[in-house]
Amino acid sequence: MDETISAAEANREFSRLLREVREGKSYVVTSHGRPVAKLVPIDADKSSREKAKQELLAELRTRPIVNVGPWTRDELYDD
């Protein structure tokens, strides 16, 4: 579970945060109470993106191919 930390506190404690992230901990950084960034170990970020990509590709493989015919430039840019 990600720990929440304010941007001001993250700024003051950045070296400590980096050490803890290196050890596997994750943080959500907030500004005025709203999440704005996430500090995660780089390997965790890569693996979660790869997992999401594989799940999306698996889902797309189950869907039928739909032939929508040729498009014109005007059809793509409806006003």
Side-chain angles (χ1 to χ4, degrees):
M1 183 77 175
D2 301 332
E3 185 176 325
T4 302
I5 188 168
S6 72
E9 186 179 353
N11 190 35
R12 288 189 300 271
E13 301 287 330
F14 194 66
S15 294
R16 176 184 63 84
L17 293 177
L18 286 181
R19 277 193 307 274
E20 291 179 2
V21 167
R22 190 179 308 125
E23 295 167 0
K25 197 165 184 178
S26 298
Y27 291 92
V28 172
V29 181
T30 62
S31 179
H32 302 287
R34 293 187 174 158
V36 294
K38 193 169 187 179
L39 294 175
V40 298
I42 195 153
D43 293 336
D45 186 46
K46 285 181 184 177
S47 66
S48 65
R49 276 187 292 179
E50 184 61 29
K51 181 181 176 189
K53 177 184 168 185
Q54 294 306 321
E55 288 173 358
L56 174 60
L57 291 173
E59 172 64 26
L60 291 174
R61 285 185 196 103
T62 66
R63 295 183 181 206
I65 297 172
V66 177
N67 183 1
V68 294
W71 293 339
T72 66
R73 184 178 183 95
D74 292 334
E75 291 171 325
L76 293 175
Y77 297 100
D78 270 344
D79 289 333

